[in-house]
């Protein structure tokens, strides 16, 4: 949106906004510098959250800052189980407050994706290990809250109040996440009870979880089943930790483990849907962990580079270093703007509005792969410093790689995303405008998603509407690229053979994904009054990324002549604006130096 188009009520709106929100998008200093949308945990007020949520997140930040960076790094190197963090969350009722749906816990307890993502970001900021125990607890709780088993729900609420953690027993050593092929079997006994036999692999929290939601089949019928086991039971064999990490990612085996009907959550199609719907809820968190990791790494990189002199210049004086910082800042800002908007669609979802089924795997896939790009660019800045044992960055470069590979690989999520492409481009529907969904209410629909079939029938609002609202050079170039992609899909769509070539479809999916990514970024930029300069800088890399994937698609051996011609026309150069680059550097990027450093 052009500044000239902003309504006169601009200042009145600004005055009515909570300080933490307003400061992030409006001039917050007299000299015209802008406060970054990137999290600074020492400055963030969290005034946009209710008092109880704000207090818990600030206490979580204080917990990590009081422990300090040296302890964080030492525990990481020694692979120390985070018992102190779990004691803290028990004492403060952190997980109990955030992960107990309304009606099953005390005051303040609700499942609220808006505030959950604030905690996601903070836990990611201080390292993947502590985020991971939260994440796999979310997955373990998913089948329980989705089920109609009230006794298990009450039991889970009680365990949360006692500081318990949870696990999600889905994947297996031989089959990975191929849940069609599960070897975990539940065999019915004469008295009506069951015995469970089989093993699960790569199960976080599998060493300490009071409830492990486990997926398998019923012997004799091959019906799917979800049931709950206790890791403390003698027939639960904890085989090993399969990773070299602070986390315990378990291989466990059930040996004639007794299961009563009261411990079964679902069978048949309901159990299958339960597995997929739980992943829908959980995979969204991975993008937020990536945002947190990249934010902390960004501060370390800018602090180091701005203070280091080489060849009689500060490192940040070099043109290529400035460009790396500007690019990584734009990518990180885009990650957060997209993920924030994704929250709104998660929270407004219903049986008649399933748009979240596209945006959720994109937060998981696109945001996490962009996180890798950000870390790569920052690593090119700080070079060997990124290997040093006392740097947070040394953890970040390792952990950022994990997120695109958890809860389904990039390829698995891209295959899901492609199912929505036809309706997205060619069959839009009317929906009321979705506001920022920040109300402190329970997200009931996430545990009542229903059947997972018919994804290709999902409809979306017309993406062109928000794109038309921006008349900016790089956004306009990007709109031309989108039109050419639609021409490709209409006049040179994939052949039958290409439709079986997932390498070809992956590149096509990357182009489609960029269109959706840009749409939600622009929606959020408009709602949060993000300045034109930052929007343009984001679309600078978006145009380049679109051109890169178009070039790769044109070079595929199977690409037809028509596809090659159209793809080559998609290759565009971003609008050059040195003045904008300078403003981004001065107002956004360089102003981040010395703004945050973790307590020693």
């Amino acid at each position: 949106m052009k500044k000239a188009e902003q309504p006169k009520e601009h200042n009145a709106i600004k005055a009515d906004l909570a300080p933490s929100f307003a400061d992030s998008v409006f001039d917050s200093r007299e000299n015209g510098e802008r406060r970054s949308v990137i999290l600074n945990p020492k400055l963030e007020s969290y005034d946009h959250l209710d008092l109880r949520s704000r207090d818990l997140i600030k206490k979580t930040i204080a917990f990590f800052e009081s422990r300090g960076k040296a302890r964080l790094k030492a525990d990481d190197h020694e692979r120390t189980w985070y018992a102190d963090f779990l004691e803290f969350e028990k004492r403060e009722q952190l997980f109990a407050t955030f992960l107990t749906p309304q009606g099953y816990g005390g005051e303040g307890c609700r499942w609220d994706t808006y505030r959950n993502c604030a905690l996601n970001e903070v836990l990611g900021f201080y390292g993947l290990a502590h985020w991971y125990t939260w994440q796999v607890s979310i997955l373990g709780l998913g089948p329980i809250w989705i089920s109609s088993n009230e006794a298990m729900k009450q039991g889970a609420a009680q365990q949360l109040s006692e500081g318990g953690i949870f696990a999600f027993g889905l994947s297996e050593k031989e089959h990975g996440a191929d849940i069609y092929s599960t070897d975990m079997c539940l065999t019915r006994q004469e008295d009506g009870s069951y015995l469970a036999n089989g093993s699960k692999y790569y199960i976080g929290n599998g060493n300490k979880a009071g409830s492990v939601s486990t997926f398998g089949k019923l012997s004799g019928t091959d019906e799917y089943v979800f049931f709950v086991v206790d890791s403390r039971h003698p027939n639960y064999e904890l085989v090993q930790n399969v990773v070299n990490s602070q986390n315990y990612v378990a291989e466990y085996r059930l040996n004639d483990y007794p299961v009563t009907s009261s411990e079964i959550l679902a069978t048949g199609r309901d159990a299958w849907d339960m597995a997929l719907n739980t992943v829908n809820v959980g995979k969204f968190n991975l993008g937020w962990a990536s945002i947190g990791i990249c934010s902390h790494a960004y501060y370390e990189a800018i602090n180091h580079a701005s203070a280091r002199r080489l060849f009689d210049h500060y490192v940040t004086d070099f043109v290529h270093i400035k460009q790396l910082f500007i690019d990584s800042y734009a990518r990180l800002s885009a990650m957060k703007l997209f993920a924030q908007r994704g929250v709104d669609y998660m929270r407004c979802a219903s049986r008649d509005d399933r748009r979240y089924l596209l945006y959720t795997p994109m937060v998981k896939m696109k945001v996490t792969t962009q996180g890798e790009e950000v870390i790569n660019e920052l690593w090119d800045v700080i070079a060997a410093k990124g290997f040093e044992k006392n740097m947070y960055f040394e953890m970040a470069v390792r952990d950022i790689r994990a997120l695109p590979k958890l809860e389904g690989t990039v390829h698995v999520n891209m295959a899901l995303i492609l199912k929505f492409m036809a309706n997205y481009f060619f069959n839009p529907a009317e929906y009321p405008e979705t506001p920022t969904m920040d109300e402190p209410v329970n997200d009931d629909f996430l545990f009542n998603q229903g059947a997972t079939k018919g994804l290709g029938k999902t409809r979306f609002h017309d993406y062109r509407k928000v794109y038309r609202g921006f008349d900016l050079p790089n956004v306009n170039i990007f709109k031309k690229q989108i039109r050419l992609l639609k021409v490709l899909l209409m006049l040179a769509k994939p052949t039958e053979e290409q439709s079986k070539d997932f390498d070809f479809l992956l590149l096509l999916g990357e182009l489609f994904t960029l269109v959706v990514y840009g749409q939600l970024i622009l929606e959020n930029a408009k709602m949060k009054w993000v300045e034109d300069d930052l929007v343009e800088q984001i679309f600078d890399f978006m145009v380049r990324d679109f051109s890169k994937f178009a070039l790769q698609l044109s070079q595929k051996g199977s690409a037809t002549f028509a596809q090659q011609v159209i793809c080559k026309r998609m290759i565009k150069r971003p609008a050059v604006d040195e003045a904008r680059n300078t403003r981004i550097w001065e107002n956004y990027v360089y102003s981040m130096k010395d703004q945050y450093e973790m307590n020693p």
Side-chain angles (χ1 to χ4, degrees), residues 12 111 158 185 204 230-231 244 328 372 379 387 404 421 494 503 517 575:
W111 195 289
Q158 180 63 33
C185 289
D230 187 337
S231 67
N244 182 25
S328 55
E372 288 187 290
W379 206 355
F387 291 101
M421 186 164 64
D503 192 44
Y517 199 58

Side-chain angles (χ1 to χ4, degrees), residues 422-436:
N423 272 353
Y424 179 90
F425 278 129
F426 302 110
N427 191 21
E430 290 292 331
Y431 289 96
E433 190 164 336
T434 303
T436 298

Side-chain angles (χ1 to χ4, degrees), residues 473-525:
N474 280 323
V475 178
N476 289 339
I477 293 169
F478 193 75
K479 285 188 277 190
K480 292 178 182 177
Q481 292 176 312
I482 296 172
R483 287 195 288 270
L484 286 164
L485 176 58
K486 289 187 72 173
V487 169
L488 177 77
L489 294 174
M490 290 187 291
L491 303 182
K493 64 182 181 181
T495 65
E496 185 177 346
E497 196 62 34
Q498 287 169 337
S499 298
K500 300 174 184 176
D501 177 0
F502 196 71
D503 192 44
F504 183 94
L505 293 178
L506 185 63
L507 290 170
L508 185 63
E510 292 283 8
L511 294 172
F512 169 49
T513 297
L514 280 168
V515 180
V516 184
Y517 199 58
Q519 177 197 351
L520 264 62
I521 288 167
L522 290 179
E523 288 183 5
N524 208 16

